[in-house]
Every structure is written in C-alpha cells, then in structure tokens.
Amino acid sequence: MNLLLIEDEKELALTMAKYLGEEGFRCEWADHLMLAQEKVWMNVYDCVIVDITLPDGNGLEVIDRLKKMKSNSGIIIVSAKNALDDRIRGLEIGADDYLTKPFDLSELNARIKAVIRRRNFDAQNEVVFHEIRINPYAHTVAVNDMAVTLTKKEFDLLLYFVSNPNRVITKSSIATHLWGEDMYLADSFDFIYSHLKNLRKKLQDKGCGDYIETVYGIGYKFSKH
C-alpha cells in the first residue's frame, strides 16, 4: 500500500518512512507544499500524512485539493500542539484523523491502518472477493482456504484489483501503484503483463476463477463475469 508523507522535517520524515516501510508500506516524501500538490495530482495513495506547517504554505491546501479531486485517499493530519484551529479546519474539510507532535510511530502505524480499513475495506481486517481472502496487513492470501504464495508486486497488484472491483484500471495507473516514482525505470508496460500472468496462474492453481479481464488499449478490470 502506498503512502505520501508530507513533512518538512527531513530527519522525522526519514524515520517515519523507514518504520512504515518495515511495516509493509511503500512511502513517498514531499517536503514542501508545491511538491505535495504535484504528487497528489499525479499519483494515487492509500493514505496521505499531512504536516500542516510547510515552508511554502499550509498543508490544508493539499487536503482541499484531494477533496476537490474526489480522491479516496485516507488523510491524517500531523500538527503542533498549538495548531488546534488548523486541526479542526482539516477535519471539517475532510481529514480522517490527526496526531499532534511528538507522536509514537506505532500509533501512527495503527492510525494509518485504521483509516485504510475504514475507507477501503469497510473496517475489516480481511478482504474477501468470492473464494479469495486477503489480509492486507499480514500480507497473506488464500483461495478456497488454501494459502497462495505471492511476490510483493503480485500481492500489491491483487489487493489493488480487489480494492477496485468492476473498475477499468489503466496500465499507467497500475505501473504507478506498483513502482511509484521509479516507474520511469521501465521502458514499457511489459512487466505488468508478466506480473499478471504469474498472479493469474498462482490463483488458478488453487481453483480460483479468472476475474482479470483485459480491456484492450486501456488496461484491465477485475470482476466476476
């Protein structure tokens, strides 16, 4: 799952990214408002952690942009203790939660997972799509109650599909979700097909239906025909 950390304190941002990376998240970082605005416009994140006080503006502008885009990203405000008015304003315009500095990283991790569960998985720890059962946090998958071993990219791809059923997802969106800022390293979208082929085979080996539909010229859709 993808996170955007909007934080101008470099040491804190790197500490957060390291901790959350060990928890299975892929983190991107923006240290000022303009870069943060660009990132939320170009990419899709499961959760955005927003520091209100930035060198070139107020982090509330990012929240406002996400809401105008009708983004489904979870939003957690990080603020100083004396920023009560901004926290209230942030919650009013659509933030899901807030933490005041200093905070414990384990609490931030728990808040992120809770927000993502509420937004994407109806507050459940487990995601079910017919015979497929996924635990997003334990990184486990079962089909017909049989464990399926997936690579990290295959797991991320399956969870992305299951979180967006019956929606046409472009190859570009998939590439961004799997690779983030490093997607430019791939000179084509062939790697997507390779991951899809391996994922489909592993699921079908356990008796899973083929729910991955190719939408020619655009991308893919995950649905029960």
Side-chain angles (χ1 to χ4, degrees):
M1 282 176 280
N2 298 331
L3 306 179
L4 175 61
L5 309 177
I6 304 173
E7 171 58 63
D8 67 319
E9 296 180 38
K10 182 177 180 180
E11 185 175 345
L12 174 59
L14 293 177
T15 300
M16 291 164 63
K18 181 177 185 297
Y19 181 89
L20 294 170
E22 292 170 353
E23 290 294 314
F25 294 104
R26 185 155 54 80
C27 301
E28 294 183 21
W29 174 39
D31 62 354
H32 58 277
L33 180 62
M34 184 175 293
L35 179 59
Q37 296 277 42
E38 291 175 0
K39 284 182 174 291
V40 298
W41 180 258
M42 297 295 296
N43 303 311
V44 177
Y45 301 98
D46 295 286
C47 191
V48 180
I49 294 85
V50 184
D51 185 5
I52 292 177
T53 306
L54 298 171
D56 55 340
N58 193 309
L60 294 178
E61 293 183 39
V62 179
I63 301 174
D64 188 54
R65 166 164 283 194
L66 286 166
K67 291 307 164 182
K68 287 179 178 177
M69 292 166 53
K70 301 188 185 305
S71 169
N72 195 45
S73 300
I75 303 170
I76 298 176
I77 294 171
V78 173
S79 70
K81 289 182 178 180
N82 60 358
L84 177 60
D85 289 344
D86 279 340
R87 289 201 302 272
I88 292 173
R89 175 62 181 150
L91 293 170
E92 286 177 343
I93 65 176
D96 298 284
D97 203 349
Y98 73 87
L99 282 171
T100 55
K101 295 181 180 180
F103 53 82
D104 190 88
L105 290 173
S106 62
E107 181 177 5
L108 174 62
N109 179 43
R111 299 283 188 99
I112 291 170
K113 290 178 178 178
V115 166
I116 293 174
R117 278 200 304 271
R118 289 199 302 270
R119 282 191 165 269
N120 295 342
F121 309 131
D122 296 324
Q124 300 300 310
N125 287 319
E126 192 173 62
V127 186
V128 179
F129 185 93
H130 301 296
E131 66 270 39
I132 304 171
R133 304 180 73 88
I134 306 171
N135 187 312
Y137 306 110
H139 287 254
T140 58
V141 177
V143 171
N144 295 318
D145 295 323
M146 294 180 287
V148 182
T149 301
L150 302 179
T151 66
K152 185 178 186 305
K153 288 288 190 292
E154 291 163 0
F155 179 88
D156 289 345
L157 182 57
L158 177 61
L159 187 60
Y160 191 38
F161 276 136
V162 172
S163 300
N164 296 276
N166 303 308
R167 171 187 166 194
V168 177
I169 303 175
T170 66
K171 292 179 182 179
S172 177
S173 294
I174 293 173
T176 300
H177 185 79
L178 294 182
W179 289 75
E181 295 177 318
D182 295 329
M183 67 174 289
Y184 71 90
L185 296 174
D187 56 6
S188 74
F189 289 134
D190 290 346
F191 66 91
I192 295 176
Y193 175 75
S194 176
H195 288 311
L196 278 171
K197 180 180 177 181
N198 293 335
L199 174 61
R200 180 183 273 122
K201 183 179 186 304
K202 289 179 179 181
L203 295 177
Q204 291 181 339
D205 283 349
K206 302 297 185 181
C208 186
D210 186 8
Y211 302 123
I212 303 172
E213 175 185 346
T214 300
V215 181
Y216 290 98
I218 302 177
Y220 301 91
K221 182 168 68 171
F222 196 81
S223 64
K224 187 170 184 178
H225 306 295

